[in-house]
Amino acid sequence: MTRKRVAVLISGRGSNMAALVEAARAPGFPGEIVAVMSDRADAAGLETARAERIAAVAVPRKDFSDKAAHEAAMIAAIEASGADLVCLAGYMRLLTAGFVDHFAGRMINIHPSLLPLFPGLDTHRRAIEAGVRIHGATVHFVTFEMDGGPIIAQAAVPVEPDDTPDSLSARVLAAEHRLYPQALAMVLRGEVAMDGSRAVFSTRS
Ligand code: GAR
Protein backbone atom coordinates (compact mmCIF):
# COMPACT_ATOMS: atom_id res chain seq x y z
CA MET A 1 0.00 0.00 0.00
CA THR A 2 1.41 3.40 -0.92
CA ARG A 3 0.73 5.82 1.85
CA LYS A 4 -0.49 9.19 0.66
CA ARG A 5 1.38 12.30 1.75
CA VAL A 6 -0.42 14.83 3.92
CA ALA A 7 0.54 18.42 4.83
CA VAL A 8 -1.13 20.07 7.83
CA LEU A 9 -1.64 23.84 8.09
CA ILE A 10 -1.90 25.37 11.55
CA SER A 11 -1.92 28.80 13.18
CA GLY A 12 -1.60 27.97 16.88
CA ARG A 13 -1.69 25.17 19.41
CA GLY A 14 -1.81 22.32 16.90
CA SER A 15 -3.60 19.72 19.01
CA ASN A 16 -5.57 18.44 16.00
CA MET A 17 -2.34 18.25 14.03
CA ALA A 18 -0.84 16.19 16.87
CA ALA A 19 -3.87 13.87 16.80
CA LEU A 20 -3.40 13.35 13.06
CA VAL A 21 0.32 12.65 13.54
CA GLU A 22 -0.40 10.08 16.24
CA ALA A 23 -3.12 8.37 14.21
CA ALA A 24 -0.94 8.25 11.11
CA ARG A 25 1.73 6.34 13.06
CA ALA A 26 -0.62 3.37 13.40
CA PRO A 27 0.10 0.51 11.04
CA GLY A 28 -2.50 0.46 8.30
CA PHE A 29 -3.28 4.17 8.37
CA PRO A 30 -3.49 5.16 4.70
CA GLY A 31 -1.28 8.26 4.91
CA GLU A 32 1.63 9.95 6.57
CA ILE A 33 1.99 13.50 7.83
CA VAL A 34 5.01 14.78 5.90
CA ALA A 35 4.95 18.48 6.74
CA VAL A 36 3.39 21.10 8.99
CA MET A 37 3.14 24.72 7.90
CA SER A 38 2.04 27.76 9.87
CA ASP A 39 1.26 31.34 8.95
CA ARG A 40 2.61 32.32 12.39
CA ALA A 41 6.20 31.78 13.48
CA ASP A 42 5.08 31.56 17.14
CA ALA A 43 2.57 28.73 16.59
CA ALA A 44 3.18 26.25 19.42
CA GLY A 45 2.28 23.40 17.09
CA LEU A 46 5.47 23.95 15.07
CA GLU A 47 7.55 22.83 18.07
CA THR A 48 5.23 19.89 18.65
CA ALA A 49 5.73 18.80 15.04
CA ARG A 50 9.51 19.18 15.22
CA ALA A 51 9.58 17.10 18.40
CA GLU A 52 7.82 14.41 16.35
CA ARG A 53 10.54 14.78 13.68
CA ILE A 54 8.16 16.23 11.12
CA ALA A 55 9.29 19.02 8.84
CA ALA A 56 7.69 22.18 10.22
CA VAL A 57 7.97 25.55 8.53
CA ALA A 58 6.63 28.98 9.32
CA VAL A 59 5.52 31.11 6.39
CA PRO A 60 4.66 34.29 8.29
CA ARG A 61 2.15 36.62 6.69
CA LYS A 62 4.17 39.66 7.71
CA ASP A 63 7.14 38.54 5.58
CA PHE A 64 5.13 39.13 2.40
CA SER A 65 3.93 42.29 0.73
CA ASP A 66 0.37 41.06 0.21
CA LYS A 67 -1.97 38.10 0.59
CA ALA A 68 -1.31 36.82 -2.93
CA ALA A 69 2.44 36.66 -2.32
CA HIS A 70 1.90 34.92 1.03
CA GLU A 71 -0.43 32.33 -0.50
CA ALA A 72 2.01 31.71 -3.36
CA ALA A 73 4.72 30.96 -0.78
CA MET A 74 2.35 28.67 1.14
CA ILE A 75 1.48 26.79 -2.04
CA ALA A 76 5.17 26.47 -2.91
CA ALA A 77 5.94 25.06 0.55
CA ILE A 78 3.07 22.57 0.31
CA GLU A 79 4.07 21.47 -3.18
CA ALA A 80 7.71 21.11 -2.08
CA SER A 81 6.55 18.63 0.57
CA GLY A 82 5.02 16.45 -2.15
CA ALA A 83 1.68 16.49 -0.34
CA ASP A 84 -1.29 14.76 -1.99
CA LEU A 85 -3.71 16.23 0.52
CA VAL A 86 -3.85 19.32 2.74
CA CYS A 87 -5.47 19.33 6.20
CA LEU A 88 -6.38 22.68 7.72
CA ALA A 89 -6.18 22.27 11.50
CA GLY A 90 -6.88 25.55 13.21
CA TYR A 91 -5.49 27.50 10.25
CA MET A 92 -7.07 30.86 10.99
CA ARG A 93 -6.57 32.69 7.72
CA LEU A 94 -9.24 33.15 5.07
CA LEU A 95 -8.17 31.63 1.77
CA THR A 96 -8.54 33.21 -1.67
CA ALA A 97 -10.41 31.48 -4.48
CA GLY A 98 -7.05 30.87 -6.17
CA PHE A 99 -5.70 28.94 -3.18
CA VAL A 100 -8.93 26.97 -2.78
CA ASP A 101 -9.06 26.12 -6.50
CA HIS A 102 -5.44 24.99 -6.47
CA PHE A 103 -6.28 22.27 -3.93
CA ALA A 104 -9.90 21.63 -4.93
CA GLY A 105 -10.99 18.22 -3.62
CA ARG A 106 -7.58 17.80 -1.94
CA MET A 107 -8.02 20.12 1.03
CA ILE A 108 -10.11 19.45 4.14
CA ASN A 109 -10.82 21.44 7.31
CA ILE A 110 -12.07 20.79 10.82
CA HIS A 111 -14.54 23.24 12.28
CA PRO A 112 -15.77 23.29 15.90
CA SER A 113 -19.53 23.09 15.33
CA LEU A 114 -22.13 20.93 13.65
CA LEU A 115 -22.17 22.79 10.33
CA PRO A 116 -24.14 24.43 8.82
CA LEU A 117 -24.81 25.73 12.33
CA PHE A 118 -22.31 28.27 13.65
CA PRO A 119 -19.83 28.90 10.86
CA GLY A 120 -17.09 31.39 11.72
CA LEU A 121 -15.60 32.16 15.12
CA ASP A 122 -16.63 31.80 18.77
CA THR A 123 -18.75 28.72 18.06
CA HIS A 124 -18.97 27.41 21.64
CA ARG A 125 -20.28 30.63 23.15
CA ARG A 126 -22.76 30.95 20.28
CA ALA A 127 -23.97 27.36 20.76
CA ILE A 128 -24.60 27.99 24.48
CA GLU A 129 -26.39 31.27 23.73
CA ALA A 130 -28.55 29.57 21.11
CA GLY A 131 -29.58 26.97 23.69
CA VAL A 132 -28.75 23.94 21.54
CA ARG A 133 -28.52 20.64 23.48
CA ILE A 134 -26.21 19.02 20.91
CA HIS A 135 -23.01 20.60 19.59
CA GLY A 136 -19.94 19.13 17.95
CA ALA A 137 -17.42 19.24 15.15
CA THR A 138 -17.39 18.86 11.37
CA VAL A 139 -14.76 17.84 8.84
CA HIS A 140 -15.49 19.15 5.36
CA PHE A 141 -13.89 19.72 1.98
CA VAL A 142 -12.73 23.30 1.62
CA THR A 143 -14.53 25.49 -0.87
CA PHE A 144 -14.52 29.24 -1.29
CA GLU A 145 -17.55 29.56 0.98
CA MET A 146 -16.10 29.80 4.49
CA ASP A 147 -17.01 26.69 6.53
CA GLY A 148 -19.47 25.84 3.74
CA GLY A 149 -17.88 22.97 1.81
CA PRO A 150 -19.25 19.43 1.44
CA ILE A 151 -19.40 17.59 4.77
CA ILE A 152 -17.28 14.46 5.20
CA ALA A 153 -17.94 13.53 8.83
CA GLN A 154 -19.36 14.96 12.04
CA ALA A 155 -19.16 14.19 15.75
CA ALA A 156 -21.78 15.29 18.27
CA VAL A 157 -21.39 16.05 21.97
CA PRO A 158 -24.03 17.04 24.53
CA VAL A 159 -24.31 20.59 25.82
CA GLU A 160 -24.68 20.38 29.59
CA PRO A 161 -26.78 22.95 31.50
CA ASP A 162 -23.75 24.29 33.39
CA ASP A 163 -21.40 24.43 30.41
CA THR A 164 -19.19 27.45 29.86
CA PRO A 165 -17.57 28.11 26.47
CA ASP A 166 -14.36 26.61 27.93
CA SER A 167 -15.94 23.42 29.25
CA LEU A 168 -17.86 22.91 26.01
CA SER A 169 -14.75 23.65 23.96
CA ALA A 170 -12.81 20.96 25.84
CA ARG A 171 -15.55 18.37 25.17
CA VAL A 172 -15.70 19.28 21.48
CA LEU A 173 -11.91 19.26 21.15
CA ALA A 174 -11.71 15.71 22.48
CA ALA A 175 -14.28 14.74 19.84
CA GLU A 176 -12.28 16.59 17.16
CA HIS A 177 -9.20 14.54 18.00
CA ARG A 178 -11.14 11.33 17.30
CA LEU A 179 -13.04 12.65 14.29
CA TYR A 180 -10.29 14.23 12.22
CA PRO A 181 -8.12 11.10 11.82
CA GLN A 182 -11.22 9.06 10.88
CA ALA A 183 -12.30 11.61 8.28
CA LEU A 184 -8.78 11.92 6.87
CA ALA A 185 -8.55 8.14 6.51
CA MET A 186 -11.87 8.07 4.63
CA VAL A 187 -10.59 10.65 2.15
CA LEU A 188 -7.21 8.95 1.72
CA ARG A 189 -8.86 5.59 1.10
CA GLY A 190 -11.10 7.13 -1.56
CA GLU A 191 -14.25 6.37 0.43
CA VAL A 192 -15.43 9.95 -0.03
CA ALA A 193 -14.62 12.52 -2.70
CA MET A 194 -15.77 16.00 -3.59
CA ASP A 195 -18.00 16.32 -6.63
CA GLY A 196 -18.89 19.97 -7.08
CA SER A 197 -20.90 21.02 -4.07
CA ARG A 198 -21.46 17.45 -2.85
CA ALA A 199 -19.47 14.84 -1.01
CA VAL A 200 -19.87 11.50 -2.76
CA PHE A 201 -19.44 8.39 -0.63
CA SER A 202 -18.50 4.96 -1.92
CA THR A 203 -18.79 1.90 0.25
CA ARG A 204 -16.48 -0.99 -0.30
CA SER A 205 -17.39 -4.51 0.61
C1 GAR B 1 -9.94 23.64 16.78
O1 GAR B 1 -10.99 23.62 17.69
C2 GAR B 1 -10.46 23.78 15.37
O2 GAR B 1 -11.67 23.10 15.15
C3 GAR B 1 -10.65 25.27 15.28
O3 GAR B 1 -9.54 25.82 15.93
C4 GAR B 1 -9.11 24.92 16.94
C5 GAR B 1 -7.64 24.67 16.73
O4 GAR B 1 -7.10 23.96 17.80
N1 GAR B 1 -10.76 25.72 13.93
C6 GAR B 1 -11.48 26.75 13.56
O5 GAR B 1 -12.11 27.45 14.33
C7 GAR B 1 -11.45 27.04 12.07
N2 GAR B 1 -12.45 28.00 11.74
P1 GAR B 1 -5.74 23.17 17.63
O6 GAR B 1 -4.71 24.18 17.08
O7 GAR B 1 -5.38 22.72 19.01
O8 GAR B 1 -5.95 22.03 16.68
Side-chain angles (χ1 to χ4, degrees):
M1 180 186 71
T2 46
R3 298 176 83 216
K4 297 240 175 73
R5 297 172 69 81
V6 178
V8 184
L9 270 55
I10 63 170
S11 294
R13 179 177 53 185
S15 71
N16 276 288
M17 175 275 297
L20 293 175
V21 168
E22 189 185 339
R25 293 241 155 96
F29 194 87
E32 59 180 318
I33 311 303
V34 296
V36 174
M37 287 98 184
S38 172
D39 62 324
R40 297 178 56 108
D42 61 355
L46 287 172
E47 280 311 312
T48 309
R50 288 180 191 128
E52 297 286 338
R53 299 179 181 279
I54 291 167
V57 290
V59 185
R61 169 68 181 88
K62 61 177 170 50
D63 289 1
F64 297 87
S65 55
D66 58 23
K67 187 168 181 127
H70 178 249
E71 284 199 344
M74 266 290 181
I75 290 173
I78 295 166
E79 296 295 358
S81 74
D84 303 296
L85 195 99
V86 177
C87 288
L88 305 183
Y91 187 67
M92 303 307 276
R93 189 158 287 277
L94 287 176
L95 304 172
T96 66
F99 193 101
V100 170
D101 285 348
H102 188 91
F103 294 107
R106 298 191 294 135
M107 182 158 60
I108 66 178
N109 179 48
I110 189 157
H111 179 77
S113 79
L114 291 173
L115 291 171
L117 285 175
F118 314 124
L121 298 175
D122 215 5
T123 57
H124 309 304
R125 183 187 56 75
R126 289 158 63 207
I128 290 170
E129 285 178 6
V132 295
R133 303 302 315 279
I134 304 280
H135 185 45
T138 301
V139 178
H140 63 92
F141 288 106
V142 176
T143 61
F144 185 56
E145 188 191 349
M146 187 192 64
D147 301 327
I151 291 171
I152 297 163
Q154 296 183 299
V157 303
V159 181
E160 305 293 356
D162 57 352
D163 263 331
T164 63
D166 282 349
S167 65
L168 185 54
S169 166
R171 194 174 307 119
V172 171
L173 193 65
E176 290 185 48
H177 295 163
R178 295 187 293 271
L179 177 71
Y180 211 176
Q182 290 170 6
L184 172 60
M186 287 170 65
V187 176
L188 292 173
R189 289 194 192 103
E191 293 168 7
V192 57
M194 189 170 89
D195 182 9
S197 62
R198 309 278 309 165
V200 178
F201 294 82
S202 62
T203 46
R204 293 172 182 195
S205 52

